[in-house]
Amino acid sequence: MRAIESLRLAWRSIRGHKLRSSLTTLGIVIGIAAVIAFVTLGASLQEGVLGDVSPDDRRNVYGWAAEPETEGGPLAGAQPVFSEDDLDEIEQREGVDAAYGYMPLSTQAIAYEGEISPQSDALVAAGPSYIRENRLAEGRQFEQGEREAVINPAVAGQFEEDVSVGDELTVALQGGQRTTVTVVGITESSEGLSPFEGFEPSPRVYVPTDPFYTEDAAASFSGGDSGGANNGSDGNGTEIDGNSSDANDANDALFLAIVVEAESTDDAAIERAKESARSYLESEESDASALLDDGLEVRLQTSAELLQQLEDVLNLLQNFIVGIAAISLVVGSVGIANIMLVSVTERTREIGIMKAVGAQNREILGLFLAEAVILGVIGAILGTLLGLVAGYLGAWYIDLPLVYPLEYVALAIVVGVLVGVLAGLYPAWRAARTDPIDALRYE
Amino acid sequence: MATSGTGGAAGADATDAGTAVALEDVRKTYQLGEPVHALDGVSLEVPRGSYTAIMGPSGSGKSTLMNLVGCLDTPTAGTVVVDGEDVAALTDRERTTLRGTTVGFVFQTFNLMPRLTATENVALPQLFQNVDRDQRRERARDLLERVGLADRTDHLPNELSGGQRQRVALARALVNDPAIVLADEPSGNLDTDTEADILDLFGEFHDAGTTMVVVTHERHVAERAERIVHLLDGKIERIEVLDESEGQQADDPSSRDRTDSGADD
């Protein structure tokens, strides 16, 4: 018997039991839909988290020091260990284009023309090249040593009148000090510029580490956090508190993290910069090494590596959820197998008739297998559609960019066929083996 | 020694064109706790174009004999030759093919596929012989017309009366031009008038050259045949020849000495 005839006959008997067939298919539909929906949501989530991260910081190596066991993303468990001297030294090393400190600064509020907007973590102190040229919508990078700032659109648009280049902002730091900055540039988007900031949009004011951290803000840390610094003394700290601008005090400020720029974006250059920075930081001559003795470990990673970690976590999560959804597929296939067994028993007599009029065992097998596969394929197709719709609604609801993982759609159909074959195999084999004499006598 | 058939050219020779089915010393034993001899040494020849009735009480071996002749089963001992093929020597697949092409079944309970139309039911055996769809339909409609159901071709079995269903079954049995049509109590589920119609139809096809074997326990059904084989306890009790005009009474004794049953005619 030809395959098309098997399918035609199988389709007839599926249609003969509409309710039963639909319920059986429903199991597969739910299973496949769950898998597709979750995979779509997962892919959309990844796209949402990672998608708009432009790789224009590819030559940056991000470093921070933390306990070796610390798990997590960038800056997890980071301790301030990098001194100004360390940065200067690293910058001299082979393969390093530039090195600067990175320090998020706690703030109380930002004021513009008398209007005050409360902000807790709006200030980011870093080197000028942290603001990459191509990220600037207007203006220029700030300069080290100047009271200049680059703001992002979220800050610019926060006040009644938009802040523009050349305006002045007043920032109230956590310690209560107020400082005035001149806006020299505005970035094109409000998303973070590096993995340190995270990638979600939020208002940020980027300022040079000198003077904002080394002079102003370090004051509030010197009493506590940097108390363990090699040459840190309470005396100096007190002086800073007294708003001293002594140049030597700048050396006391320890950075939470460093950004090392390699000479180019190729892997070898990045590796060279990484090695230079690491070998220096772990050598006796660095200020950081004294603190590293406390069991801290320097981590130096590129954006790509950090993103990879994040991606790995997301993938793990997604695989876990898809695994759970896949269980419903297994349940669905058990449903098909069960129905097929019932169907074989119920149609014993029909099997007997077909055998009596010349149906071969493999033709009976093919007939029942075709039925199971049709149920599986229909389930897979409907499940895929439902899954795509559910994924679409989910992505829309959580406000994620919609990404359809099309390879999974193909996979779903394959799985549907496979589930059908596997679930139908034993019942079909039972049907094929039915003795026509007994089958014809079967009531 | 083989029985000599009415066509009687070369005895039970497998290649004999005049013999549709030949059984020689066939035994069938079932192991049901203790061995049960359903058939206990039966020799019978069914010539082509003949009309044979097989009668006997329950448990006499009618069904077993029918299963053997219909290639549904193989004998424990002896040979069953259907259309020149020794059934026991065939593989399961070959036996199925032989059954599909050379035997047509008509059952007491009609045994039509419930979800197939009359035409599709009639065409079913050809489906398994890879006959083209259009060709199948044409053949099926042709046969349905011959059994008087030209206006019922697209009806499902449950839309047909018992007699109509049996006509469909008969058409299905004939679709592959079988060497033999085996009917098991073909009128057992029919009322008297319908029964007469169906049996008339059997007669018509027999007259047209079809070999008929009808298993029944009703005398008036059996009497439509040319001869009646009486089975009892797995043996041929006697063979009764009804149609004198065909006049081949030489059948009886040779069968009888095989079966060790008393000859009474």
Side-chain angles (χ1 to χ4, degrees), chain B residues 29-257:
Chain B
T29 308
Y30 294 110
Q31 294 294 335
L32 302 167
E34 59 186 66
V36 175
H37 302 286
L39 285 181
D40 198 4
V42 171
S43 295
L44 180 68
E45 191 157 315
V46 180
R48 281 187 199 280
S50 66
Y51 193 160
T52 308
I54 296 172
M55 281 192 76
S58 304
S60 59
K62 293 195 304 280
S63 301
T64 308
L65 184 65
M66 184 166 164
N67 290 341
L68 288 172
V69 173
C71 304
L72 287 165
D73 211 348
T74 49
T76 313
T79 53
V80 178
V81 177
V82 177
D83 200 30
E85 301 270 6
D86 183 355
V87 175
L90 299 175
T91 64
D92 193 46
R93 279 183 65 173
E94 290 167 334
R95 198 144 50 84
T96 304
T97 309
L98 184 68
R99 178 167 70 231
T101 52
T102 63
V103 183
F105 288 95
V106 177
F107 301 95
Q108 176 177 5
T109 50
F110 320 130
N111 278 341
L112 299 175
M113 299 289 279
R115 272 182 297 275
L116 299 186
T117 63
T119 311
E120 287 164 330
N121 261 295
V122 173
L124 192 66
Q126 293 205 318
L127 176 68
F128 298 113
Q129 305 304 330
N130 286 330
V131 176
D132 262 4
R133 198 165 183 236
D134 293 338
Q135 222 174 314
R136 291 205 308 263
R137 295 187 82 84
E138 200 179 319
R139 170 83 175 142
R141 286 178 192 282
D142 186 38
L143 276 165
L144 281 172
E145 203 174 314
R146 282 178 66 193
V147 298
L149 286 178
D151 55 340
R152 291 281 185 277
T153 50
D154 292 323
H155 287 57
L156 291 174
N158 59 14
E159 297 163 346
L160 299 172
S161 71
Q164 288 171 331
R165 287 184 213 186
Q166 201 59 300
R167 284 163 193 263
V168 174
L170 180 59
R172 180 181 64 189
L174 292 164
V175 77
N176 274 335
D177 269 329
I180 181 169
V181 169
L182 270 180
D184 184 9
E185 304 278 9
S187 58
N189 277 10
L190 302 177
D191 61 60
T192 320
D193 287 347
T194 322
E195 176 179 62
D197 291 346
I198 288 292
L199 293 177
D200 287 347
L201 205 54
F202 273 46
E204 260 174 54
F205 280 104
H206 168 239
D207 291 342
T210 307
T211 313
M212 293 279 190
V213 173
V214 177
V215 176
T216 182
H217 60 262
E218 287 181 271
R219 180 76 198 174
H220 69 275
V221 175
E223 275 172 352
R224 299 270 189 148
E226 295 165 347
R227 57 172 186 165
I228 304 174
V229 177
H230 292 270
L231 276 182
L232 187 64
D233 295 335
K235 295 177 174 131
I236 292 179
E237 187 189 25
R238 65 193 167 94
I239 294 180
E240 183 182 347
V241 177
L242 297 162
D243 195 344
E244 298 298 327
S245 62
E246 300 271 309
Q248 300 290 335
Q249 301 192 15
D251 256 6
D252 314 4
S254 56
S255 291
R256 243 175 279 139
D257 56 22

Side-chain angles (χ1 to χ4, degrees), chain A residues 349-363:
Chain A
R349 202 185 181 88
E350 288 180 41
I351 296 167
I353 296 168
M354 289 192 282
K355 284 193 152 189
V357 302
Q360 298 288 355
N361 286 358
R362 63 190 160 84
E363 289 169 328

